[in-house]
Amino acid sequence: MKASMTLSGLLVALIAVFVGTPALAMEGVPARFGQILVDQLEARDADDGTVAAWSANAWYGGDINKLYFATEGERLMDRGGETESLETRLAWSRAFAPYWDWQLGVRRDWQPDDPNRDWVSVGVMGVAPYFFETEANLFLGESGHSELRLEAEYELLFTQRLILTPEVEASLYGKEDRDLGIGKGLATVEAGLRLRYEIRREFAPYIGVHWERKFGDTADFARDHGEDASDTMLVAGIRVWY
């Protein structure tokens, strides 16, 4: 109950901060606008079967303040559509430098078999030198749990329509969580290489490869449950935005 009230309070505070800015529009601030991006909607050929995976985000606001929403997850299609992971995040995003925002928000992990888990999130996202899209988020949860997630992505244009995107993501945890099979320290690294063709700027099918690796105690927990510590998957999907 306490965690639920805390999450609700943070959501209300985020929306109140955002909604409280309309008066600025009367003082010459540019009108609000928004975007929805489904960055990955794909099928993965994993060791356990075909996995449907997605990663999407949306934002609405002005040049300085935005309301930001993100979701990602995986669903194993060969076991009656069992959802393996689902995460949603809502944040207030504020620009502090050209091409850079800091964010304050909340995150919820929707567990298929365990109680849902809530986190407070603090992070930065933007474009680093040489046009690397980067994101760093610190998540603080109940019972002293914490996660630091680092992400980087780059787009290499072969032509105006054919684009190769390498990306990498690493997660580090400050405390062991045996219920989720997560060890302290570096837990997982994911890397991908996707080649897309933009039929239109807003619609692009792609193919590629996705690699996942568990480390340390997290890898040991996976092996104890009969799972592999690493997996390399061929992927095919689409990228859309509007």
Side-chain angles (χ1 to χ4, degrees), residues 59-141:
W59 55 263
Y60 177 77
D63 294 330
I64 303 299
N65 295 293
K66 298 181 182 70
L67 192 63
Y68 179 85
F69 174 79
T71 179
E72 61 182 64
E74 295 182 353
R75 188 176 181 88
L76 190 56
M77 304 306 295
D78 294 347
R79 295 181 185 174
E82 177 184 348
T83 299
E84 293 191 317
S85 65
L86 172 57
E87 172 187 310
T88 56
R89 185 156 58 94
L90 181 67
W92 171 44
S93 183
R94 181 176 175 84
F96 66 89
Y99 308 112
W100 284 95
D101 292 0
W102 67 261
Q103 295 184 335
L104 174 66
V106 291
R107 161 187 152 193
R108 167 160 285 191
D109 296 342
W110 306 85
Q111 307 292 339
D113 300 319
D114 301 314
N116 300 327
R117 302 202 174 199
D118 298 323
W119 309 73
V120 175
S121 66
V122 180
V124 295
M125 65 183 303
V127 181
Y130 302 102
F131 301 101
F132 282 90
E133 295 184 15
T134 59
E135 187 171 352
N137 285 288
L138 175 63
F139 301 104
L140 303 175

Side-chain angles (χ1 to χ4, degrees), residues 6 22 36 42 44 50 75 82 87 93 99-100 134 144 151 165-166 186 193 203 211:
T6 301
I36 298 175
E42 63 190 29
R44 298 176 179 174
T50 303
R75 188 176 181 88
E82 177 184 348
E87 172 187 310
S93 183
Y99 308 112
W100 284 95
T134 59
E151 304 174 54
T165 306
L186 178 63
L193 194 63
F203 181 84
W211 174 80

Side-chain angles (χ1 to χ4, degrees), residues 129-169:
Y130 302 102
F131 301 101
F132 282 90
E133 295 184 15
T134 59
E135 187 171 352
N137 285 288
L138 175 63
F139 301 104
L140 303 175
E142 302 174 17
S143 304
H145 291 291
S146 62
E147 177 191 356
L148 175 63
R149 183 182 300 172
L150 307 173
E151 304 174 54
E153 179 180 307
Y154 184 76
E155 291 191 344
L156 179 62
L157 276 70
F158 293 130
T159 70
Q160 293 298 315
R161 293 180 180 270
L162 190 62
I163 302 169
L164 182 66
T165 306
E167 61 180 3
V168 63
E169 175 184 312

